[in-house]
Amino acid sequence: MKFPEEVYSSQRFREQGAAVIELIANCLEDSISGKPNKVIKMTDPVKAMNEVQQWFNHCTADDSKDVAKLFADIYQRAIRLHHPGYLGHQISPPLPDAALASLFSDFLNNGMGVFEMGIAGTAIERFVVKSLAKKIGFNETADGFLTSGGTLGNLTALLAARRAKATGDIWESGVQQKTALLVSEQAHYCVDRSARVMGWGTEGLVKVPVKHDFTMDISHLESTYQAARARGVEVIGVVGSACSTATGTFDDLEGIGDFCRHHDLWFHVDGAHGAASVYSKQYSDRVSGLHLADSVVMDFHKLLMTPALATAVVFKDEKWAAKNFSQKAEYLWDDANHVDDWHDLAKRTFECTKSMIALKVFTILAVHGEQVFDENVTALYHSASEFGNLLEVADDFELATFPQSNIVCFRYAPEEQRDLDLLNRKVREELLSIGEFYIVQTTLKNRVWLRTTIANPFTKISHFQDLMDEIRRIGKRFSVA
Ligand SMILES: Cc1ncc(COP(=O)(O)O)c(C=O)c1O
């Protein structure tokens, strides 16, 4: 193809685009209808690399350079989030309209770092963040931004916590003292990573034990806090998990909020997964006390049908959205410390260039209304409860704890089998190679558990029954007594 006319050809785009949309629509129909399609066609990484080479060879040899044909091959190896057997990690089957927003924003490629480079995107981002802040229960002085994933969002919020509460100005002078956050044993690993990135090492997180439902046991907060201080560690805040990753259960945000207020500590809520409960009329009580937080992180790509990555970082006090990364970058902006420049987003976010994340969320809100978030969260949490009920009454299954969100953690535990860890590992491996269900695995209290996230509103009770039967069938083939 002749550069640049043919590679940028609008006519070629029109034809290829139509074929790609047709392909996606077919994939959507196939996936939602479930069988006979598999949710995953597992292979090993070396074979996957060989296939990529083949796709590359086919595409380069094909005179038509058919993008849809290439994508059709890729679809064969992609995990299918719209399939009702998808019960794996916490990521949403995106709404088709939101996928179109991704396509459009990728075409626009507005850089978003400064206002001129994303006029619509910057204003849309503010709209999205302000409406989420209101939902959380913050007032108009709350502010924030969107960023690339919960991991980066948590680090960003915790950097603000450090600036707000740590002695001295670590941002300017570097780390001079032992600093730490209190966090439950079940917090996502990215909180630990954040503490290490901030230079606090292993001691940067002080773990609070959990209760039987794997939520923070706040009766240990005071003693854990005092013990850390006695060791010479400056505790600057507490991170609440709403919800935790492994079991999907919610820390007592009201209790943690009160504790933080009492000790003048920063209260951060990692709501990457479950802060989306604010949208559900039925389940918003899961996050009672969220408004007490100084900062909240929420992923739109986990429960809210938005293509990844789409994360909000919201601060109760707008000052922290503005001041966190105060730095000079003369080639981008004139006065880096001018607090009111909310519209030059690179002053506030880790990213410099950033995609138009907000467009995906805004498109869903504008086209389907906020009620679609309510409908999805409510349906998924309800489904998880139904699955929990099935597991609870089955003699040969054990629930880690009754689901509070759309995450269900359980294991196959027939009486005659002793090594349940090995059995459940083998069951998952076999499920993966059959490919009709995709579930994951976790370790709780040194035991192996199967873990599911009900991500798809098309997953019904009959699918849970089929999954349990499939597990029984596989389990019976393994004798690990
Ligand atoms: C509670 C929690 N926090 C943070 C993260 C990380 O989010 P992301 O994958 O968007 O970086 C996850 C991901 O599973 C999570 O469950």
Side-chain angles (χ1 to χ4, degrees), residues 113-398:
V114 291
F115 184 59
E116 303 95 278
M117 283 302 297
I119 296 171
T122 305
I124 288 172
E125 179 160 325
R126 192 159 178 85
F127 177 97
V128 167
V129 168
K130 287 281 185 182
S131 75
L132 174 61
K134 204 163 156 199
K135 220 60 211 164
I136 289 171
F138 288 161
N139 62 29
E140 312 74 59
T141 58
D143 206 353
F145 39 79
L146 301 185
T147 192
S148 309
T151 300
L152 191 60
N154 279 317
L155 173 61
T156 308
L158 295 175
L159 281 164
R162 188 176 77 167
R163 270 202 118 161
K165 298 292 182 190
T167 306
D169 188 349
I170 299 178
W171 186 251
E172 292 299 332
S173 323
V175 177
Q176 319 259 331
Q177 72 268 26
K178 286 185 181 175
T179 311
L181 293 157
L182 296 181
V183 64
S184 107
E185 285 168 355
Q186 284 297 319
H188 189 263
Y189 75 85
C190 71
V191 179
D192 179 75
R193 186 175 285 183
S194 295
R196 292 171 194 275
V197 168
M198 290 191 286
W200 302 349
T202 315
E203 281 188 311
L205 281 195
V206 180
K207 300 278 176 73
V208 183
V210 291
K211 297 192 293 188
H212 63 280
D213 62 357
F214 303 94
T215 63
M216 185 188 281
D217 186 345
I218 62 164
S219 69
H220 287 285
L221 263 177
E222 185 67 37
S223 55
T224 314
Y225 173 63
Q226 295 302 348
R229 279 165 52 103
R231 291 196 303 274
V233 176
E234 183 183 26
V235 175
I236 60 151
V238 185
V239 179
S241 300
C243 48
S244 67
T245 307
T247 57
T249 47
F250 292 82
D251 285 352
D252 172 357
L253 304 182
E254 277 169 358
I256 302 174
D258 287 346
F259 177 82
C260 287
R261 197 164 37 204
H262 180 67
H263 290 288
D264 189 26
L265 300 173
W266 187 275
F267 177 24
H268 173 65
V269 175
D270 176 4
H273 187 92
S277 312
V278 293
Y279 289 103
S280 167
K281 286 183 205 73
Q282 193 177 339
Y283 294 105
S284 60
D285 62 347
R286 297 286 192 264
V287 287
S288 298
L290 188 60
H291 65 288
L292 300 174
D294 294 294
S295 52
V296 176
V297 157
M298 190 197 80
D299 283 350
F300 287 93
H301 56 269
K302 287 194 168 37
L303 266 161
L304 301 177
M305 301 164 290
T306 308
L309 294 162
T311 298
V313 182
V314 190
F315 295 97
K316 176 183 273 155
D317 181 343
E318 60 194 339
K319 174 169 88 181
W320 296 110
K323 259 186 73 172
N324 201 11
F325 292 120
S326 54
Q327 247 181 326
K328 287 223 176 288
E330 282 83 0
Y331 52 91
L332 281 178
W333 51 74
D334 284 341
D335 176 9
N337 293 319
H338 198 281
V339 167
D340 290 328
D341 287 351
W342 61 266
H343 41 79
D344 287 332
L345 282 171
K347 286 183 183 178
R348 302 180 156 216
T349 57
F350 218 105
E351 299 98 325
C352 177
T353 304
K354 185 177 84 172
S355 66
M356 272 171 89
I357 299 171
L359 184 60
K360 301 184 273 193
V361 181
F362 184 72
T363 303
I364 298 176
L365 286 171
V367 174
H368 300 282
E370 203 181 87
Q371 71 270 14
V372 78
F373 287 162
D374 181 357
E375 283 165 340
N376 197 52
V377 174
T378 304
L380 298 181
Y381 283 22
H382 179 73
S383 249
S385 294
E386 287 189 325
F387 189 23
N389 288 332
L390 286 179
L391 291 161
E392 206 167 42
V393 297
D395 293 340
D396 49 352
F397 283 88
E398 200 181 321

Side-chain angles (χ1 to χ4, degrees), residues 25-137:
N26 290 336
C27 296
L28 184 65
E29 278 166 15
D30 283 0
S31 287
I32 288 177
S33 73
K35 289 177 182 163
N37 279 322
K38 293 185 174 199
V39 60
I40 186 167
K41 291 182 185 159
M42 199 52 192
T43 186
D44 66 64
V46 175
K47 284 194 188 133
M49 279 302 298
N50 291 339
E51 281 177 2
V52 170
Q53 188 61 53
Q54 282 171 22
W55 299 335
F56 185 80
N57 295 345
H58 292 163
C59 198
T60 44
D62 172 14
D63 285 343
S64 66
K65 307 289 178 219
D66 190 341
V67 176
K69 211 159 123 202
L70 174 65
F71 291 176
D73 282 339
I74 292 170
Y75 180 65
Q76 293 309 313
R77 278 290 176 219
I79 190 156
R80 295 160 186 180
L81 304 189
H82 298 83
H83 190 290
Y86 178 85
L87 295 160
H89 291 286
Q90 308 136 264
I91 185 154
S92 264
L95 282 186
D97 286 325
L100 289 178
S102 295
L103 173 66
F104 190 52
S105 76
D106 281 356
F107 168 72
L108 296 175
N109 217 15
N110 281 199
M112 302 287 294
V114 291
F115 184 59
E116 303 95 278
M117 283 302 297
I119 296 171
T122 305
I124 288 172
E125 179 160 325
R126 192 159 178 85
F127 177 97
V128 167
V129 168
K130 287 281 185 182
S131 75
L132 174 61
K134 204 163 156 199
K135 220 60 211 164
I136 289 171

